[in-house]
Amino acid sequence: MHKASGQKMRKVLHSLTGGPKRGILVGTGITALIQSSSATTVMVVGFVNAGLMTLTQALGVILGANIGTTVTAQLIAFKLTDYALPIIGVGMAMLLISKRKIYKNIGEFLLGFGILFLGLHILTEVVRPLGNSPVFNEILIRFSNNPFLGVLAGVLVTAILQSSSVTTGMVLGLSMANLIDLKAALPLILGCNIGTCVTAIIASIGTNIGAKRAAIAHIVFNTVGVLIFLPFLGPFRRLVSFTSTNVTREIANAHTLFNVINTLIFIPLIPLFAKLLTRFVKGKEEEEVEYLPKYLEKHLLNTPPIAIEASIKEIVRTLGLTKKMVAISMNSFLNNDLGSLEKITRREEAVDSLREAITDYLVQLMQRELGQEESRKIPALIHAINDVERIGDHAENLRDLAEQKIENRLCFSPEALDELKRMYADVNRMIDCSVNALQNNDTNEAKFIMEQECQINVMRDRLKNNHTKRLEEGKCNVLSGVVFLDIISNFEKIGDHLNNVAQAVIQGLQWGEK
């Protein structure tokens, strides 16, 4: 299900700009659909790491994921194990017969789900003889009398399997075989809520401090919730017993009730908890990258000239992000700074997101009643933002080349480094002029860009010739030479895209005119 709807899930999470309550609903819904709180939490950690989600929003989604994951236990309690083989058959048929990828993914989901139920059915039948085992009964009695042991067992099993759904399924399987009662099952269920946090902790390794805080929040939420419940296991067990007379159903309901009550406890505390995490979980704060548009207000669409100005502002802001990407790449290349290259990925994602938002905004604007001038400007702006996005792609190429140089410890002659610095300075100047040209509709700046682009082409050819001479003289090795040529090629292509932007400005942002 994650494969079949992964992109949609990401878009839902990406668009999450509301408060924690909305995050809880989204987290519950997504986790109920993909039936894995681990998958949701890993996505959340990734989004916080990428700057797509704030810590406060992430906390809401994590709490919602805890509720959503209890759906699996509820389905198992309905004794779907009796239908395991038909579900496997349907899933296998879809997987083998379907041509479309989405149906194959759904078939894979049904196949896996059916196998889960079949496994539980086999487990139930196999463990029945354990009811006559004194050792097994002694273990269950200890779990009943010492809840801490039960919680610890639930934590360890879930941490190893990295799935609270599987652990809960095993507990439900034991109850179906009449080997475990609600008293012994409750600590195991509580423990599996802590054990499932291991996946998020693993996912946060190597991420930024915000993502680490989100992963730590997950384990704190669940651990504190378990500690709150432990002294009240008796009253909680009596409350759960009112929900059903069937032990298996009671265990599934206990799992759901624990997470719902725990979420209700923490909802009002989320803003405070986010502040405490920021204060006590120290680390180097990442420079914030805004992925969502700042100027594209919907109400401006009713005033096309102002909406076009807002679009230009957003394009300029996006161009500024690409300039920063090129700067990071070159500074890392020149200073052998591998760590800084990680910042480029976040900016590239932001550039892609902004390109999509700006294009969508301009398409919406095209559907309004426009004058002739506005109608001609919109296609030019769409082409301009595409050119800006392509500059971001070339900045990523420069990132890869810098990484190649650092990891392979490639050496460059002083002459080669000086040439690259000069070409970078010229390209950087062109980006600054493009910003001014767009902001102020300055045709003089645009003409300078076009002149400079010609100079960039000449410089590229001259640097290639210089490189060939250095190879002949043995001053440069082949692999360094390949990286050198790729860098000047990417600079030249960046110049081409900036030239396109300049042409649009000179033509009054009217696409197709000469």
Side-chain angles (χ1 to χ4, degrees), residues 54-314:
T54 66
L55 181 60
T56 303
Q57 290 168 343
L59 298 183
V61 178
I62 288 169
L63 286 174
N66 286 340
I67 298 174
T69 195
T70 65
V71 169
T72 308
Q74 295 292 345
L75 290 174
I76 294 170
F78 278 118
K79 294 194 174 179
L80 291 180
T81 49
D82 297 339
Y83 306 99
L85 291 177
I87 293 171
I88 290 172
V90 172
M92 181 60 78
M94 291 182 69
L95 193 60
L96 294 177
I97 297 171
S98 299
K99 301 295 183 184
R100 293 187 60 187
K101 190 173 181 181
I102 186 169
Y103 294 133
K104 283 184 175 292
N105 288 332
I106 293 172
E108 189 179 342
F109 156 71
L110 290 173
L111 176 62
F113 209 51
I115 290 172
L116 170 65
F117 290 141
L118 179 61
L120 287 171
H121 178 72
I122 294 170
L123 172 70
T124 304
E125 296 303 315
V126 169
V127 297
R128 284 189 193 278
L130 288 175
N132 300 320
S133 168
V135 176
F136 186 77
N137 285 316
E138 178 65 24
I139 292 171
L140 293 182
I141 290 169
R142 287 190 181 184
F143 284 170
S144 299
N145 296 333
N146 191 336
F148 287 101
L149 284 177
V151 170
L152 183 61
V155 171
L156 292 175
V157 173
T158 309
I160 293 168
L161 299 176
Q162 292 196 31
S163 173
S164 61
S165 297
V166 174
T167 309
T168 308
M170 291 169 64
V171 174
L172 292 172
L174 292 171
S175 72
M176 289 175 187
N178 297 317
L179 295 176
I180 193 169
D181 60 7
L182 181 61
K183 185 178 180 182
L186 276 180
L188 292 169
I189 293 295
L190 293 179
C192 77
N193 282 279
I194 299 175
T196 193
C197 302
V198 170
T199 311
I201 296 294
I202 292 171
S204 69
I205 295 172
T207 58
N208 64 29
I209 188 62
K212 286 184 172 66
R213 286 170 182 156
I216 291 169
H218 191 203
I219 197 165
V220 170
F221 276 147
N222 290 6
T223 304
V224 171
V226 169
L227 292 175
I228 291 172
F229 268 72
L230 275 178
F232 304 102
L233 281 183
F236 182 57
R237 188 169 63 250
R238 287 191 290 273
L239 171 66
V240 171
S241 65
F242 287 121
T243 64
S244 178
T245 55
N246 179 277
V247 175
T248 304
R249 169 61 57 193
E250 286 176 352
I251 294 171
N253 292 344
H255 192 203
T256 302
L257 279 172
F258 164 74
N259 283 292
V260 169
I261 295 170
N262 197 34
T263 298
L264 291 174
I265 292 171
F266 276 104
I267 283 176
L269 302 175
I270 284 177
L272 175 63
F273 189 53
K275 289 179 182 177
L276 290 174
L277 280 171
T278 305
R279 182 175 178 182
F280 291 108
V281 184
K282 299 291 186 181
K284 185 179 179 183
E285 298 285 350
E286 293 289 324
E287 182 183 347
E288 186 176 353
V289 179
E290 294 190 32
Y291 287 69
L292 301 176
K294 291 174 65 175
Y295 305 107
L296 306 183
E297 299 290 344
K298 296 291 183 184
H299 67 272
L300 295 180
L301 292 170
N302 297 320
T303 315
I306 299 177
I308 286 174
E309 286 300 317
S311 302
I312 292 172
K313 284 184 178 180
E314 207 65 66

Side-chain angles (χ1 to χ4, degrees), residues 328-356:
I328 293 170
S329 296
M330 286 310 297
N331 288 336
S332 297
F333 178 88
L334 296 170
N335 300 316
N336 293 323
D337 181 10
L338 195 60
S340 295
L341 294 175
E342 296 175 2
K343 300 175 183 177
I344 293 178
T345 303
R346 296 177 63 189
R347 285 171 174 80
E348 170 61 14
E349 290 172 351
V351 168
D352 289 343
S353 174
L354 290 170
R355 190 275 302 267
E356 184 178 341

